[in-house]
PDB file of all heavy atoms in Angstrom:
ATOM      1  N   LEU A  15      -8.844 -14.537   7.094  1.00 81.00           N
ATOM      2  CA  LEU A  15      -7.570 -14.271   7.750  1.00 81.00           C
ATOM      3  C   LEU A  15      -6.725 -13.279   6.936  1.00 81.00           C
ATOM      4  O   LEU A  15      -6.179 -12.324   7.488  1.00 81.00           O
ATOM      5  CB  LEU A  15      -6.781 -15.559   7.949  1.00 81.00           C
ATOM      6  CG  LEU A  15      -5.413 -15.421   8.595  1.00 81.00           C
ATOM      7  CD1 LEU A  15      -5.543 -14.880  10.013  1.00 81.00           C
ATOM      8  CD2 LEU A  15      -4.680 -16.761   8.592  1.00 81.00           C
ATOM      9  N   LYS A  16      -6.656 -13.450   5.635  1.00 75.00           N
ATOM     10  CA  LYS A  16      -5.905 -12.514   4.793  1.00 75.00           C
ATOM     11  C   LYS A  16      -6.500 -11.110   4.867  1.00 75.00           C
ATOM     12  O   LYS A  16      -5.778 -10.134   4.963  1.00 75.00           O
ATOM     13  CB  LYS A  16      -5.868 -12.986   3.351  1.00 75.00           C
ATOM     14  CG  LYS A  16      -4.844 -14.065   3.099  1.00 75.00           C
ATOM     15  CD  LYS A  16      -4.283 -13.899   1.708  1.00 75.00           C
ATOM     16  CE  LYS A  16      -3.296 -14.985   1.422  1.00 75.00           C
ATOM     17  NZ  LYS A  16      -1.938 -14.628   1.706  1.00 75.00           N
ATOM     18  N   ILE A  17      -7.809 -11.042   4.785  1.00 74.00           N
ATOM     19  CA  ILE A  17      -8.476  -9.749   4.836  1.00 74.00           C
ATOM     20  C   ILE A  17      -8.212  -9.050   6.166  1.00 74.00           C
ATOM     21  O   ILE A  17      -7.816  -7.887   6.214  1.00 74.00           O
ATOM     22  CB  ILE A  17      -9.987  -9.865   4.554  1.00 74.00           C
ATOM     23  CG1 ILE A  17     -10.199 -10.243   3.091  1.00 74.00           C
ATOM     24  CG2 ILE A  17     -10.724  -8.587   4.919  1.00 74.00           C
ATOM     25  CD1 ILE A  17     -11.616 -10.641   2.770  1.00 74.00           C
ATOM     26  N   ASN A  18      -8.400  -9.783   7.248  1.00 78.00           N
ATOM     27  CA  ASN A  18      -8.201  -9.203   8.558  1.00 78.00           C
ATOM     28  C   ASN A  18      -6.759  -8.817   8.814  1.00 78.00           C
ATOM     29  O   ASN A  18      -6.456  -7.757   9.337  1.00 78.00           O
ATOM     30  CB  ASN A  18      -8.686 -10.150   9.660  1.00 78.00           C
ATOM     31  CG  ASN A  18     -10.174 -10.226   9.726  1.00 78.00           C
ATOM     32  OD1 ASN A  18     -10.879  -9.349   9.247  1.00 78.00           O
ATOM     33  ND2 ASN A  18     -10.689 -11.270  10.334  1.00 78.00           N
ATOM     34  N   THR A  19      -5.831  -9.672   8.405  1.00 78.00           N
ATOM     35  CA  THR A  19      -4.422  -9.409   8.639  1.00 78.00           C
ATOM     36  C   THR A  19      -3.900  -8.280   7.792  1.00 78.00           C
ATOM     37  O   THR A  19      -3.282  -7.351   8.291  1.00 78.00           O
ATOM     38  CB  THR A  19      -3.587 -10.676   8.374  1.00 78.00           C
ATOM     39  OG1 THR A  19      -4.031 -11.728   9.232  1.00 78.00           O
ATOM     40  CG2 THR A  19      -2.114 -10.440   8.605  1.00 78.00           C
ATOM     41  N   HIS A  20      -4.155  -8.360   6.514  1.00 74.00           N
ATOM     42  CA  HIS A  20      -3.546  -7.408   5.604  1.00 74.00           C
ATOM     43  C   HIS A  20      -4.376  -6.167   5.372  1.00 74.00           C
ATOM     44  O   HIS A  20      -3.847  -5.050   5.379  1.00 74.00           O
ATOM     45  CB  HIS A  20      -3.209  -8.098   4.283  1.00 74.00           C
ATOM     46  CG  HIS A  20      -2.213  -9.186   4.456  1.00 74.00           C
ATOM     47  ND1 HIS A  20      -0.911  -8.940   4.791  1.00 74.00           N
ATOM     48  CD2 HIS A  20      -2.330 -10.524   4.377  1.00 74.00           C
ATOM     49  CE1 HIS A  20      -0.269 -10.091   4.894  1.00 74.00           C
ATOM     50  NE2 HIS A  20      -1.118 -11.057   4.638  1.00 74.00           N
ATOM     51  N   LEU A  21      -5.643  -6.328   5.148  1.00 76.00           N
ATOM     52  CA  LEU A  21      -6.458  -5.165   4.840  1.00 76.00           C
ATOM     53  C   LEU A  21      -6.749  -4.364   6.105  1.00 76.00           C
ATOM     54  O   LEU A  21      -6.383  -3.190   6.177  1.00 76.00           O
ATOM     55  CB  LEU A  21      -7.772  -5.610   4.177  1.00 76.00           C
ATOM     56  CG  LEU A  21      -8.699  -4.471   3.725  1.00 76.00           C
ATOM     57  CD1 LEU A  21      -7.981  -3.607   2.709  1.00 76.00           C
ATOM     58  CD2 LEU A  21      -9.950  -5.047   3.121  1.00 76.00           C
ATOM     59  N   ALA A  22      -7.322  -5.004   7.084  1.00 79.00           N
ATOM     60  CA  ALA A  22      -7.730  -4.276   8.292  1.00 79.00           C
ATOM     61  C   ALA A  22      -6.507  -3.760   9.049  1.00 79.00           C
ATOM     62  O   ALA A  22      -6.455  -2.581   9.422  1.00 79.00           O
ATOM     63  CB  ALA A  22      -8.566  -5.172   9.184  1.00 79.00           C
ATOM     64  N   ASN A  23      -5.525  -4.605   9.259  1.00 86.00           N
ATOM     65  CA  ASN A  23      -4.363  -4.193  10.074  1.00 86.00           C
ATOM     66  C   ASN A  23      -3.391  -3.321   9.304  1.00 86.00           C
ATOM     67  O   ASN A  23      -3.092  -2.202   9.702  1.00 86.00           O
ATOM     68  CB  ASN A  23      -3.644  -5.412  10.647  1.00 86.00           C
ATOM     69  CG  ASN A  23      -4.517  -6.200  11.597  1.00 86.00           C
ATOM     70  OD1 ASN A  23      -5.484  -5.693  12.150  1.00 86.00           O
ATOM     71  ND2 ASN A  23      -4.179  -7.456  11.799  1.00 86.00           N
ATOM     72  N   GLU A  24      -2.851  -3.835   8.230  1.00 89.00           N
ATOM     73  CA  GLU A  24      -1.770  -3.141   7.544  1.00 89.00           C
ATOM     74  C   GLU A  24      -2.259  -1.925   6.750  1.00 89.00           C
ATOM     75  O   GLU A  24      -1.651  -0.864   6.805  1.00 89.00           O
ATOM     76  CB  GLU A  24      -1.002  -4.122   6.659  1.00 89.00           C
ATOM     77  CG  GLU A  24      -0.268  -5.153   7.494  1.00 89.00           C
ATOM     78  CD  GLU A  24       0.373  -6.247   6.675  1.00 89.00           C
ATOM     79  OE1 GLU A  24       0.616  -6.055   5.477  1.00 89.00           O
ATOM     80  OE2 GLU A  24       0.614  -7.313   7.261  1.00 89.00           O
ATOM     81  N   LEU A  25      -3.358  -2.071   6.019  1.00 90.00           N
ATOM     82  CA  LEU A  25      -3.881  -0.920   5.279  1.00 90.00           C
ATOM     83  C   LEU A  25      -4.452   0.111   6.256  1.00 90.00           C
ATOM     84  O   LEU A  25      -4.238   1.320   6.080  1.00 90.00           O
ATOM     85  CB  LEU A  25      -4.954  -1.359   4.273  1.00 90.00           C
ATOM     86  CG  LEU A  25      -5.572  -0.239   3.438  1.00 90.00           C
ATOM     87  CD1 LEU A  25      -4.496   0.516   2.654  1.00 90.00           C
ATOM     88  CD2 LEU A  25      -6.630  -0.795   2.512  1.00 90.00           C
ATOM     89  N   GLY A  26      -5.130  -0.349   7.279  1.00 90.00           N
ATOM     90  CA  GLY A  26      -5.627   0.577   8.302  1.00 90.00           C
ATOM     91  C   GLY A  26      -4.502   1.355   8.969  1.00 90.00           C
ATOM     92  O   GLY A  26      -4.609   2.569   9.184  1.00 90.00           O
ATOM     93  N   ASN A  27      -3.411   0.676   9.265  1.00 91.00           N
ATOM     94  CA  ASN A  27      -2.248   1.316   9.872  1.00 91.00           C
ATOM     95  C   ASN A  27      -1.654   2.354   8.905  1.00 91.00           C
ATOM     96  O   ASN A  27      -1.325   3.477   9.298  1.00 91.00           O
ATOM     97  CB  ASN A  27      -1.200   0.269  10.228  1.00 91.00           C
ATOM     98  CG  ASN A  27       0.007   0.881  10.909  1.00 91.00           C
ATOM     99  OD1 ASN A  27      -0.102   1.709  11.788  1.00 91.00           O
ATOM    100  ND2 ASN A  27       1.185   0.476  10.449  1.00 91.00           N
TER     101      ASN A  27
END
Side-chain angles (χ1 to χ4, degrees):
L15 179 63
K16 280 214 182 266
I17 290 169
N18 287 341
T19 301
H20 297 291
L21 183 60
N23 296 339
E24 294 172 22
L25 181 58
N27 182 47

